[in-house]
Amino acid sequence: MPLRYAVVCSSNQNRSMEAHNLMNKRGLIVRSFGSGQQVKLPGTSLEKPNIYTFDTTYDFMYKDLYNKDANLYTQNGVLHMLDRNRRIKEKPERFQDCRERFDVIFTVEERIFDQVMEENREKRTNEIVHVINIDVIDNPEDATVAAFMLCELGQKLNATEDLDNSINEILIEFEQKNKQTILHAVSFY
């Protein structure tokens, strides 16, 4: 049975959606989420981000930013990102609001890894979930590179017959190959 994946970043915009897009195209079962309280997108300055709630559609965000300053948000890539996102799903989702069960949860920042591990889910089934973090700088180029790495790792994990007994070896090999430090923990549903 194929594994079920979640990819979690802060706002469910760049890193998680880039990975969601590629993993989905490669046939993996995947959903993406944010772990923040709200969705933040670049604004006219670092001190003035565009802030939305998680129930705001990608289409609304796209049209809103297009109307605010189409040139700025085209040049900085935000409109392109939102256009991709709205073709994948309707709106960003908060990880904390999801009750779906996953076999593997990928996070892209240690702070987000900690949030996922601290999430107080009702322990109903005692099923194992592997939480894996690979730090990814939040920009389009690093998000693309990370999407390929997460997809490759997901494919390797899918190919094993015994995930729980094989995962450590797969992660060590992955770290060595990609020169990337990985955090890995086991949690339960």
Side-chain angles (χ1 to χ4, degrees), residues 18-114:
E18 185 73 22
H20 181 156
N21 188 37
L22 184 63
M23 292 172 77
N24 190 52
K25 284 181 179 176
R26 299 270 172 97
L28 298 173
I29 299 169
V30 62
R31 289 191 58 197
S32 60
F33 301 93
S35 66
Q37 294 298 316
Q38 54 205 2
V39 174
K40 292 183 184 178
L41 291 170
T44 54
S45 71
L46 286 176
E47 298 80 32
K48 295 181 180 178
N50 289 288
I51 298 174
Y52 301 96
T53 62
F54 270 89
D55 63 348
T56 306
T57 67
Y58 291 119
D59 192 54
F60 178 88
M61 292 178 217
Y62 181 95
K63 290 173 181 171
D64 184 46
L65 296 180
Y66 185 88
N67 289 333
K68 283 182 180 178
D69 191 336
N71 190 41
L72 170 67
Y73 296 113
T74 298
Q75 287 181 350
N76 70 8
V78 172
L79 290 179
H80 174 75
M81 178 182 69
L82 289 169
D83 187 46
R84 174 205 60 208
N85 294 354
R86 66 185 180 176
R87 285 183 272 127
I88 296 169
K89 63 184 189 178
E90 182 184 16
K91 61 187 177 184
E93 298 173 85
R94 283 189 78 229
F95 178 74
Q96 295 89 331
D97 298 335
C98 178
R99 294 294 164 241
E100 187 174 332
R101 184 196 161 311
F102 300 98
D103 300 296
V104 177
I105 300 170
F106 289 126
T107 62
V108 294
E109 195 176 312
E110 189 170 347
R111 173 183 61 84
I112 296 165
F113 177 86
D114 292 341

